[in-house]
Amino acid sequence: MAGLDFWQTIGTTSADVEHLYALILERGAPVASRELATHLIEWRVREEERRIAESAARGAPLYQPKQSYAVGQHLLFSVFDDREGEIVHVRAGENARYGNFKVIAVQFDGEAGVREFAADYPATHPLNQDPAPLLESLSGAEQAVIEHGDAVTARLIQRLSGEKEFVRIEEGWYLRGLLPQIHDGHLNLAEAAIEQANDAQSTAELLKIMDLPPTAKKNASVYALNLALASDTRFDEVGPSNEPRWYLTRLELPESRERPAILQAAPARALTLPDELETVAAELHDETDTNGNGNHPAAPRDEVTLVLTYPHRRAGTLPMTPAVRALVPAFTRPRLKITLVDSIMGGKLIAFAVNDGQYIAGMANWFAAHKLAPGAYVTLKRTADPLTLHLEYQPQRERSLWVRVARGLNGKLTFAQERRPVAHKYDEDMLILVNDPPSIDAVAQSLRDQRLGALLEEIFPELAKLSGAGRVHAKTLYSAVNLVRRAGPRTVLGALTESRAITSVGGGYFVLSEDARR
């Protein structure tokens, strides 16, 4: 259809759908939405250029309602695929709402009756638009793709989603009729194979055990199986981007499917910290505080060392900071199944990197087996297998040390310095042992509505009494707050800087202000 609305029609017509059907049928492979849109734009531009050239060669003008016409004149009608008709009668229009206009009666070959159209009608109408701007805009299909590609892609997705002949998964659009049938027996075989391997399986591995028709193309079989597995709640895609790997939902760790409540944190406020505290925040490797980096991976590295915090110790998880995310392949699904190898004991752990919440689940038993306390150093290391990481802590000869011990007492968080056995290296500012987690949970429940600033001012004297100088490091306060409330470093450090009761003395240390001591 000629006119300035030409671009808005691309991706909406039955002819477009039929053309794309033929394209996919010819290729025999899935085609991405953007590629379909690009191809369709280029095809429509060529067709419109051909139509305009053929119309010009035929000599008859293109019908436009604003023009005046006479009996015996021949016109081309774009709404009827440029069919040619002869004007056999002209009369005055009879609708007062539209002012003065004419009505032309047109006879088309092969039709007994005539069709009537408006003439001398200058009001706004798509067919009244000057085709010259369209001819100019058709001058380059490549530029047309740049200008209109996004809009056409969006319209195509909407249109094809309603067409039963088309199916869509991550690889793109395909034709349902080209897919081999995947029935319940095939899916039962897939379930048994995954369970026997006790590991995620690629689509190609699962196809090896299925008796599909030998005439089925490989990519069609892959497409069909991915579609069937994605539609069955028994299976979950847990592979890297563009590399589907399938696992059984019932075998997944509960904490990988639903973020543990103890990891839920309020969004961090946007604030500027003193340079010294910005450094402290960066050292704490907290997944809730990326300072604008979102979940984008950091520069590749071979290993990352983290300090275990109480919330992650209780949840059996580790934070998936940008640095940690850079150790695993990119993934867009909710979960990525990985294997963690205990570098010291040699065992393997089933683990999941979780997009929603930015954490890695699966270390609860490992933490307990090595008796790791909040404050312990934990290291993840890359291996030759992208889906396998080494997991290690830093063991040392067990000895009895004076350490901070937290308790819940009458709804309050208290601290004492006690001798306890420790068999691993740790961050001295972060180390806090907890003997009775339920008592800490009770305190967390009683303090859930307390302002963070008030919570800091309440626990600060408890920690300060354990120091001869009355000083408490910012990291210690962060570790203590996270016993009873999940809060990121920038949130805690921001509350510290805003408190009138607590004063910085440099080096990351704080003391009670003079007014608070009185």
Side-chain angles (χ1 to χ4, degrees):
M1 177 185 293
L4 295 181
D5 62 344
F6 169 81
W7 301 111
Q8 283 70 51
T9 69
I10 300 180
T12 65
T13 70
S14 297
D16 291 341
V17 173
E18 291 172 5
H19 183 76
L20 295 179
Y21 184 99
L23 170 68
I24 298 174
L25 183 63
E26 179 183 356
R27 290 195 182 182
V31 184
S33 300
R34 181 68 182 203
E35 187 178 354
L36 287 179
T38 298
H39 178 86
L40 191 58
I41 290 171
E42 293 172 345
W43 174 69
R44 286 285 297 269
V45 166
R46 291 193 303 271
E47 287 296 296
E48 190 67 10
E49 289 174 331
R50 179 192 58 76
R51 188 195 68 79
I52 292 173
E54 289 181 354
S55 297
R58 291 163 66 181
L62 193 68
Y63 163 72
Q64 289 186 295
K66 66 183 179 180
Q67 302 295 341
S68 297
Y69 300 109
V71 172
Q73 191 171 359
H74 286 246
L75 300 175
L76 299 178
F77 291 82
S78 60
V79 291
F80 299 130
D81 294 327
D82 290 339
R83 288 181 66 190
E84 184 174 336
E86 180 183 358
I87 300 174
V88 296
H89 182 70
V90 179
R91 65 175 176 84
E94 299 175 350
N95 194 324
R97 291 175 55 192
Y98 299 112
N100 295 325
F101 69 99
K102 300 288 181 61
V103 174
I104 58 174
V106 179
Q107 180 71 60
F108 290 94
D109 288 343
E111 294 186 5
V114 296
R115 299 176 187 250
E116 293 189 329
F117 302 88
D120 289 311
Y121 180 74
T124 301
H125 189 283
L127 295 178
N128 274 338
Q129 296 165 347
D130 185 356
L134 174 62
L135 287 169
E136 183 179 346
S137 67
L138 290 176
S139 60
E142 183 177 345
Q143 183 62 30
V145 170
I146 295 174
E147 294 181 7
H148 304 284
D150 290 343
V152 172
T153 300
R155 286 196 294 271
L156 266 184
I157 291 173
Q158 182 177 8
R159 179 62 190 261
L160 295 184
S161 295
E163 297 288 335
K164 62 181 181 180
E165 297 91 348
F166 292 80
V167 289
R168 180 193 185 198
I169 56 175
E170 288 186 359
E171 293 90 339
W173 294 94
Y174 203 54
L175 303 179
R176 194 176 300 277
L178 296 181
L179 299 177
Q181 183 182 6
I182 303 294
H183 52 65
D184 288 344
H186 292 134
L187 296 178
N188 292 339
L189 281 174
E191 181 180 20
I194 295 170
E195 185 163 27
Q196 183 176 9
N198 194 30
D199 197 4
Q201 299 292 293
S202 69
T203 311
E205 290 169 331
L206 294 174
L207 281 173
K208 292 177 182 178
I209 64 172
M210 297 182 182
D211 185 21
L212 296 182
T215 56
K217 292 185 178 181
K218 180 180 179 181
N219 53 12
S221 299
V222 169
Y223 194 96
L225 183 54
N226 280 337
L227 186 64
L229 292 169
S231 302
D232 192 315
T233 56
R234 288 176 292 175
F235 304 95
D236 189 23
E237 187 181 336
V238 293
S241 299
N242 302 318
E243 296 179 36
R245 292 178 62 81
W246 299 93
Y247 199 56
L248 300 181
T249 304
R250 59 183 169 83
L251 298 182
E252 292 176 341
L253 302 173
E255 59 269 28
S256 74
R257 298 192 60 81
E258 183 175 352
R259 179 164 48 183
I262 199 168
L263 297 184
Q264 299 279 2
R269 290 186 297 134
L271 47 83
T272 301
L273 297 172
D275 290 346
E276 183 177 65
L277 294 185
E278 287 283 5
T279 301
V280 172
E283 292 173 351
L284 289 169
H285 301 292
D286 192 304
E287 79 280 5
T288 69
D289 264 353
T290 55
N291 197 20
N293 291 327
N295 61 5
H296 301 294
R301 61 179 74 185
D302 291 330
E303 65 179 75
V304 175
T305 295
L306 306 166
V307 178
L308 182 60
T309 62
Y310 180 75
H312 284 287
R313 175 64 176 84
R314 286 289 303 277
T317 58
L318 283 174
M320 190 164 61
T321 64
V324 172
R325 195 178 182 97
L327 293 177
V328 299
F331 68 105
T332 57
R333 308 296 297 180
R335 285 163 291 281
L336 174 72
K337 184 179 178 298
I338 60 176
T339 299
L340 299 178
V341 178
D342 187 332
S343 295
I344 297 173
M345 303 299 293
K348 293 184 178 181
L349 292 74
I350 292 176
F352 295 86
V354 182
N355 252 329
D356 182 17
Q358 298 300 304
Y359 62 92
I360 296 179
M363 286 146 286
N365 293 336
W366 187 80
F367 290 157
H370 295 296
K371 301 178 181 178
L372 300 185
Y377 291 119
V378 178
T379 300
L380 292 168
K381 292 184 178 180
R382 189 190 304 276
T383 71
D385 178 0
L387 294 175
T388 299
L389 298 177
H390 280 301
L391 174 67
E392 60 186 48
Y393 71 107
Q394 299 178 24
Q396 63 181 14
R397 183 175 59 84
E398 183 173 288
R399 49 187 178 143
S400 184
L401 303 172
W402 287 99
V403 297
R404 286 179 291 268
V405 178
R407 290 186 175 83
L409 185 62
N410 299 324
K412 301 291 184 181
L413 188 60
T414 65
F415 298 89
Q417 199 86 356
E418 301 178 9
R419 292 187 69 89
R420 293 297 169 86
V422 178
H424 56 78
K425 294 183 179 180
Y426 54 88
D427 184 314
E428 292 188 7
D429 292 318
M430 296 277 288
L431 184 68
I432 300 178
L433 273 63
V434 175
N435 276 356
D436 184 15
S439 72
I440 300 297
D441 294 342
V443 174
Q445 181 68 16
S446 67
L447 298 179
R448 67 184 184 279
D449 297 325
Q450 188 177 37
R451 289 186 306 105
L452 179 57
L455 174 60
L456 278 166
E457 292 166 11
E458 182 177 305
I459 65 176
F460 192 96
E462 283 287 316
L463 292 166
K465 72 184 181 183
L466 304 182
S467 166
R471 302 188 309 170
V472 183
H473 198 275
K475 291 198 288 187
T476 306
L477 289 164
Y478 160 79
S479 184
V481 164
N482 275 272
L483 295 173
V484 293
R485 180 176 303 173
R486 185 73 182 101
R490 295 176 61 78
T491 301
V492 174
L493 299 179
L496 276 174
T497 61
E498 294 169 351
S499 174
R500 295 183 179 181
I502 303 171
T503 301
S504 172
V505 292
Y509 286 93
F510 288 80
V511 298
L512 285 173
S513 64
E514 290 295 331
D515 291 341
R517 294 177 191 175
R518 295 192 183 102

